[in-house]
Amino acid sequence: MLDVICLGEALIAFRPAEDEGLGDAPSFVRGVGGAESNVACALSRWGHRTGWIGRVGTDGFGTHVLETLAAHGVDTSAARRDPHRSTGLYFRTPGERATTAGDPAPGRAEVAYYRAGSAASALSPDLVDRDTAWAGRVLHLSGITAALSASCLALLRALTAPGSRRPLVSFDVNYRVGLWRTAPESPDVLMELARRSDIVFVGEDEAEAAWGVRGAGAIRAALPEPAVLVVKQGAAGATVHAGDGLVVSESAPAVEVVAPVGAGDAFAAGFLSGTLRGLPYAARLRHGHLLAAAALTSPGDLADPPPAREHADRLVALGSAAWGRLRLGPGWADGTRAQDLQKVQEERTA
């Protein structure tokens, strides 16, 4: 049995080779992006058995997606290739994606998607065997898939339906304002899917933009059904609402951000890793923060390299004061920032 099966869209991601806008860049760096595939890769590199279910074209880009996931140790045997549709593409610059329509805030990323009619958008209950999707300990989904097409939304409804063999369902709301302009339904459907899930990840900014719900307490009141609700609060940290009214919060380390793309997916992977290992909620949150920090300090969609799990365990074990003094910059995950490691050791013995 696989630990986690991730189902959704994977795309080819291009970013400018230099610090330039999309229209000015003469060359681009190619990678693989996609919320669910990002989670699968991060978990696999931390020693968990993961699989990815999705559809790509028979083009060279589809080959690259499958080869990249396999190189990260992800089982792609349930992925399929569509001879009639192409693999989706997107281009982006560093910076944060807008959460509201026409967001003019400085530092927002330029993002251009070419995914309409892609192989992933054709996912449907007829093309994905439910028993295969339910074959892991956890099934991880995201709201991005729900916005791709009516058939994709029908698939997520089928996979989050009750059933005797249903695994834990993890759902990352992942609200993308641009996607919902042409989505089959309103963003309210994200709340429906979240209510049918066991572990839910949602940002405070997402909940306000998608549903008009503000604050962690109000989000929990709107989503009482999930056994575990994780509310992400940006640089401030994150809060877990669990059974019997349990509320646990953990601050996030200070991070020297290179690019914010993929940080939410990395956080979900870190939290799910802690869940699979049966760690306390505070430790799960810290592992989420550390994998998010690794993504934030890397230019691509994936942290490369991620911190060794043993290194992350040492950081997670820090006392509250030492954890609060952590400062993580580029290179911290692979130990090239020796001052970070030395500071951690000093704080552990202080």
Side-chain angles (χ1 to χ4, degrees), residues 49-116:
R49 296 162 298 175
T50 66
W52 177 76
I53 297 176
R55 291 178 74 82
V56 295
T58 54
D59 48 30
F61 287 141
T63 300
H64 182 65
V65 166
L66 296 179
E67 290 179 347
T68 299
L69 297 187
H72 282 80
V74 178
D75 182 343
T76 61
S77 60
R80 296 292 179 264
R81 306 195 69 166
D82 190 325
H84 306 295
R85 299 175 180 85
S86 61
T87 306
L89 312 175
Y90 83 102
F91 295 76
R92 57 94 173 166
T93 61
E96 298 211 40
R97 291 185 176 94
T99 55
T100 58
D103 192 333
R108 292 299 189 192
E110 284 185 82
V111 185
Y113 287 98
Y114 299 90
R115 64 183 2 151

Side-chain angles (χ1 to χ4, degrees), residues 197-268:
S197 302
D198 303 296
I199 303 172
V200 173
F201 301 93
V202 62
E204 282 190 321
D205 57 343
E206 293 179 299
E208 184 171 1
W211 309 321
V213 179
R214 180 179 301 180
I219 296 170
R220 182 53 165 173
L223 293 173
E225 295 87 356
V228 177
L229 173 67
V230 184
V231 180
K232 298 175 289 183
Q233 297 158 306
T239 297
V240 169
H241 291 263
D244 299 324
L246 178 65
V247 180
V248 179
S249 296
E250 277 291 335
S251 62
V255 177
E256 183 183 332
V257 177
V258 173
V261 177
D265 308 328
F267 179 92

Side-chain angles (χ1 to χ4, degrees), residues 278-342:
L279 300 181
Y281 286 114
R284 300 181 199 185
L285 288 172
R286 286 190 176 189
H287 277 294
H289 289 321
L290 289 175
L291 275 190
L296 289 168
T297 52
S298 298
D301 287 46
L302 285 170
D304 191 18
R309 199 169 81 176
E310 295 76 12
H311 178 32
D313 285 342
R314 290 192 293 270
L315 294 179
V316 166
L318 290 172
S320 297
W323 174 264
R325 291 193 295 270
L326 276 181
R327 301 291 184 272
L328 304 175
W332 77 270
D334 64 359
T336 58
R337 285 283 289 261
Q339 62 268 36
D340 288 333
L341 301 180
Q342 181 179 356

Side-chain angles (χ1 to χ4, degrees), residues 23-160:
D24 301 318
S27 61
F28 292 82
V29 176
R30 182 193 62 178
V32 173
E36 301 83 3
S37 58
N38 286 346
V39 171
C41 289
L43 282 168
S44 179
R45 295 183 72 172
W46 260 15
H48 300 287
R49 296 162 298 175
T50 66
W52 177 76
I53 297 176
R55 291 178 74 82
V56 295
T58 54
D59 48 30
F61 287 141
T63 300
H64 182 65
V65 166
L66 296 179
E67 290 179 347
T68 299
L69 297 187
H72 282 80
V74 178
D75 182 343
T76 61
S77 60
R80 296 292 179 264
R81 306 195 69 166
D82 190 325
H84 306 295
R85 299 175 180 85
S86 61
T87 306
L89 312 175
Y90 83 102
F91 295 76
R92 57 94 173 166
T93 61
E96 298 211 40
R97 291 185 176 94
T99 55
T100 58
D103 192 333
R108 292 299 189 192
E110 284 185 82
V111 185
Y113 287 98
Y114 299 90
R115 64 183 2 151
S118 69
S121 70
L123 285 166
S124 73
D126 294 332
L127 296 177
V128 177
D129 178 65
R130 191 172 74 167
D131 288 341
T132 300
W134 280 8
R137 295 170 61 189
V138 178
L139 171 64
H140 181 71
L141 309 168
S142 95
I144 291 175
T145 308
L148 295 179
S149 67
S151 65
C152 284
L153 175 55
L155 175 60
L156 261 61
R157 283 176 163 147
L159 295 178
T160 56

